[in-house]
Amino acid sequence: MSFKKTHIFTASRPTVGIGPSCIQMKFGCFSSKLLPMIALRSLCLLTVLFFTAVPSHAAVAPDTHIHVIVSLVDNVAQGIVPVPAKIGNGDDPRSNLYWGAAYGVKTFLSKAEGWRKLGCENNINDIILERCQFAWKDRLTVTADAYRGSRIDQAMLDFMQEAANPPNAAEREMVAFIGHDGLMDEQNQPIIERFPKHAGHDKQAVVLACMSDEFFAGHLLAAGSKPVVTTFSFMAPEAYVLEAIARGFADQASEAELRSSAGIAYAKYQRISAKAGKAVFGVKNSN
């Protein structure tokens, strides 16, 4: 296994309510012969007003979920070729390449078609600097955590521990890691000894980082998880790839379909051929 200084690639571009007293007052204005018709219309109106007043996020299906662990890019702490200082500060998620920048998880999912941001919370602890929740068309929820860049070791360990934890039988779960491939850095090698082992189960795992199939896939299999999307080259682990994978997961796509969707999204934003984009995710003999 060789250790490399990794280049960072980037893409080129009023609650309303009606109570029973209100209905009775209105009924008092009409003859009893009209009551059945008025009652039916009132019930229909109440139904419309009720569903209008319910917050939009209340309808989100809770049984399909992705937890995304984002290791903020860090010019100082990670073995990368430095990016511009503004987007390479691992202590500041607001403009970080993998979080607050245009193709970072928080910004991209907040603006992508069909998605909405349910809310964010700052400073979960000293390591997780921000947590945001998103929903896609009431069919999928995503919880994304922004980890301090200098604690990429903890981000990888938390990812592996969650991957090893079997999913709830009543839910479909996926866990994803986004960031620099910290297992390429020699200083992070000791963390491998703490990676969990588990019998096989159905939790799907995604690693959007350079050469992640070589560095992560074996550990994920040992943890009992299914590495459904990994990478086979240097790449930009940006959120348009995650977004495509998430939609596929909601549609119960196969591993081959998830990898293909990731490659198509990558090709679109990197302005390369679909074949080249799919190759990054191990899709062979594809146009």
Side-chain angles (χ1 to χ4, degrees):
M1 182 181 296
S2 60
F3 303 102
K4 309 166 181 137
K5 183 169 279 287
T6 309
H7 287 73
I8 297 293
F9 295 84
T10 60
S12 54
R13 23 162 277 176
T15 302
V16 180
I18 294 180
S21 60
C22 299
I23 297 174
Q24 290 175 355
M25 180 178 67
K26 290 181 182 294
F27 280 177
C29 301
F30 299 95
S31 71
S32 59
K33 293 181 180 180
L34 295 177
L35 284 177
M37 183 181 299
I38 298 301
L40 180 59
R41 291 180 178 177
S42 297
L43 287 172
C44 292
L45 177 60
L46 281 169
T47 301
V48 171
L49 289 174
F50 174 78
F51 283 106
T52 301
V54 171
S56 59
H57 60 78
V60 173
D63 59 347
T64 304
H65 182 73
I66 302 176
H67 184 198
V68 183
I69 293 175
V70 181
S71 175
L72 300 180
V73 66
D74 194 306
N75 283 338
V76 176
Q78 297 172 4
I80 61 172
V81 174
V83 298
K86 183 178 180 179
I87 62 174
N89 182 350
D91 296 326
D92 184 6
R94 293 173 298 176
S95 57
N96 193 273
L97 178 63
Y98 298 150
W99 190 257
Y103 297 127
V105 169
K106 179 182 179 180
T107 299
F108 191 84
L109 292 188
S110 296
K111 298 179 179 180
E113 182 179 357
W115 289 82
R116 66 182 184 278
K117 183 174 65 177
L118 303 180
C120 294
E121 182 180 357
N122 293 321
N123 300 315
I124 303 301
N125 51 47
D126 187 56
I127 297 175
I128 301 175
L129 303 182
E130 188 170 17
R131 171 174 292 157
C132 292
Q133 293 184 314
F134 306 90
W136 179 68
K137 293 186 177 181
D138 299 335
R139 298 178 55 199
L140 169 80
T141 55
V142 171
T143 299
D145 289 335
Y147 278 64
R148 190 182 299 277
S150 60
R151 294 310 312 274
I152 189 172
D153 58 337
Q154 190 64 51
M156 293 188 296
L157 181 59
D158 286 356
F159 166 73
M160 289 300 305
Q161 289 176 335
E162 186 161 346
N165 187 29
N168 186 312
E171 299 179 351
R172 296 183 65 245
E173 297 180 45
M174 173 183 280
V175 60
F177 176 87
I178 291 180
H180 167 58
D181 188 339
L183 296 184
M184 288 183 168
D185 299 343
E186 189 170 4
Q187 70 266 24
N188 292 323
Q189 291 302 296
I191 201 71
I192 294 176
E193 298 178 3
R194 299 172 61 190
F195 283 174
K197 304 290 192 297
H198 199 284
H201 52 74
D202 292 331
K203 182 174 285 185
Q204 298 183 23
V206 170
V207 186
L208 301 183
C210 294
M211 304 291 293
S212 65
D213 194 79
E214 175 183 346
F215 288 88
F216 276 90
H219 299 303
L220 287 168
L221 290 170
S225 183
K226 295 182 177 180
V228 292
V229 180
T230 51
T231 68
F232 291 76
S233 66
F234 292 97
M235 54 86 68
E238 295 178 317
Y240 43 83
V241 178
L242 170 67
E243 194 272 339
I245 294 169
R247 286 188 285 106
F249 182 60
D251 289 335
Q252 301 192 44
S254 66
E255 176 180 340
E257 290 169 332
L258 291 173
R259 288 181 181 270
S260 180
S261 295
I264 291 171
Y266 193 72
K268 174 183 176 181
Y269 284 89
Q270 291 291 325
R271 298 183 180 181
I272 58 179
S273 70
K275 182 177 181 179
K278 292 179 181 182
V280 171
F281 302 94
V283 180
K284 299 178 180 179
N285 301 321
S286 176
N287 296 322

